[in-house]
């Protein structure tokens, strides 16, 4: 979950989800905002409230994982999502490597804050029948939205690259854990190494597009300034 600012050598860098958000299909969001307006609701209030609830769930999840003390939530939607998390986490047998770690990429000049990195031992049997336990490094990301969207694999691909650059750790797989804030069931989506490579390949295009978009914006800013100067 993105937190704070990302800097490298004193310069601000765009965050992973900020870059991806620049190229999202906004059709569904526009329709949702229109429907909110038709129902007499300010969509910004609904959006901000959902964001605050998501932040609360992330904080509570991290606190539970790290065994920190925390105040029990009072928001019904937060309670439902957090209870689903606790039920899921209590069934896991992971070694926690870290949670909520900010990092930046010197290569592509972007930042990110992955939710959770864990190690899990799995039983592996080779062709000769010998069995041994093999450690898997798993990147975990929590979502509280209404669905797991296609751009999540792009986000996790970018995070996997950040972790490789920062910690020199290669991710074996990534999972999205969706924690609904209603009565629906918890949802899991897994991504393989191949999936993450595909996601990162797309992210690199977005990162280049981010820089190109900034250059295009500057072209029009210059044009506006030039017109003002001519009019004088």
């Amino acid at each position: 979950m993105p937190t704070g600012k990302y800097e490298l050598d004193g310069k601000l860098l765009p965050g992973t989800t900020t870059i991806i958000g620049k190229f999202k299909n906004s059709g569904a969001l526009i329709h949702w905002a229109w429907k909110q307006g038709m129902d007499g609701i300010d969509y910004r209030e609904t959006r901000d409230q959902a964001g605050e609830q998501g932040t609360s769930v992330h904080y509570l999840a991290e606190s539970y994982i790290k065994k920190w003390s925390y105040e029990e939530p009072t928001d019904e939607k937060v309670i439902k999502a957090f209870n689903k998390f606790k039920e899921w986490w209590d069934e896991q047998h992971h070694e926690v490597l870290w949670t909520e770690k900010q990092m930046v990429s010197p290569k592509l000049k972007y930042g990110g804050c992955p939710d959770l990195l864990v190690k899990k031992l799995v039983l592996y049997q080779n062709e000769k029948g010998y069995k041994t336990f093999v450690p898997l490094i798993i990147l975990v990301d929590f979502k509280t939205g209404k669905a797991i969207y296609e751009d999540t694999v792009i986000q996790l691909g970018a995070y996997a690259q950040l972790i490789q650059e920062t910690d020199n750790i290669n991710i074996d797989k990534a999972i999205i854990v969706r924690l609904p804030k209603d009565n629906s069931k918890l949802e899991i989506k897994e991504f393989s190494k191949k999936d993450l490579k595909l996601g990162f390949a797309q992210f690199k295009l977005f990162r280049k597009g981010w820089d190109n978009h900034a250059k295009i914006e500057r072209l029009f800013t210059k044009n506006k300034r030039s017109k003002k100067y001519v009019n004088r």
Side-chain angles (χ1 to χ4, degrees):
M1 182 176 182
T3 55
K5 297 179 180 179
Y6 304 107
E7 295 186 28
L8 182 65
D9 298 329
K11 294 183 179 180
L12 289 177
L13 301 179
T16 299
T17 54
T18 301
I19 293 170
I20 295 172
K22 192 75 167 178
F23 304 97
K24 272 189 175 182
N25 183 345
S26 59
L29 181 60
I30 292 172
H31 176 75
W32 170 80
W34 171 81
K35 191 174 186 305
Q36 290 275 295
M38 293 297 291
D39 293 338
I41 303 170
D42 186 337
Y43 79 91
R44 289 165 295 191
E45 292 182 3
T46 306
R47 176 200 61 196
D48 293 346
Q49 184 182 43
E52 290 171 2
Q53 291 167 340
T55 298
S56 296
V57 173
H58 274 79
Y59 170 73
L60 289 166
E62 183 181 23
S63 299
Y64 193 79
I65 290 169
K66 290 189 169 183
K67 295 180 170 53
W68 291 344
S69 61
Y70 59 86
E71 291 186 10
E72 290 292 339
T74 56
D75 185 304
E76 286 298 322
K77 291 186 176 181
V78 173
I79 292 171
K80 289 179 180 179
F82 184 43
N83 285 341
K84 291 182 179 73
F85 163 78
K86 288 189 291 184
E87 291 173 8
W88 172 79
W89 182 253
D90 288 345
E91 295 177 354
Q92 308 308 307
H93 303 284
H94 299 317
E95 176 187 342
V96 177
L97 300 181
W98 48 252
T99 66
E100 296 279 354
K101 186 174 182 179
Q102 277 197 340
M103 48 189 69
V104 298
S105 166
K107 294 180 180 179
L108 288 183
K109 305 292 190 298
Y110 72 96
C113 187
D115 287 340
L116 175 64
L117 192 68
V118 300
K119 180 166 67 174
K120 181 179 181 180
L121 292 178
V122 296
L123 188 62
Y124 172 76
Q125 181 174 323
N126 64 18
E127 296 176 353
K128 295 182 179 180
Y130 294 113
K131 296 180 180 179
T132 184
F133 282 98
V134 177
L136 284 185
I137 304 299
I138 305 171
L139 172 62
V140 184
D141 194 76
F142 301 113
K143 301 294 184 189
T144 56
K146 293 185 176 181
I148 297 176
Y149 300 104
E150 293 177 0
D151 59 9
T152 54
V153 69
I154 303 174
Q155 178 185 357
L156 293 182
Y159 284 170
Q161 177 65 20
L162 282 173
I163 294 167
Q164 199 284 323
E165 286 188 37
T166 304
D167 292 348
N168 196 28
I169 295 175
N170 293 314
I171 304 301
D172 293 305
K173 72 173 182 178
I175 64 173
I176 294 287
V177 181
R178 189 175 76 86
L179 306 166
K181 293 176 287 186
D182 55 20
N183 293 324
S184 56
K185 294 182 179 180
L186 177 144
E187 183 181 2
I188 301 286
K189 177 71 176 176
E190 295 193 3
F191 299 108
S192 66
K193 279 186 176 182
K194 184 178 179 181
D195 298 331
L196 295 174
K197 286 182 179 179
L198 175 62
F200 180 59
Q202 182 62 42
F203 180 79
K204 286 193 290 185
L205 297 176
F206 284 171
R207 182 64 186 89
K208 181 64 176 177
W210 175 276
D211 286 341
N212 288 341
H213 186 269
K215 291 176 183 177
I216 291 170
E217 283 187 327
R218 285 196 292 271
L219 286 176
F220 283 87
T221 302
K222 287 180 181 178
N223 287 342
K224 288 180 180 178
R225 290 175 179 173
S226 298
K227 287 180 180 179
K228 288 181 180 178
Y229 180 77
V230 170
N231 287 338
R232 289 179 182 175

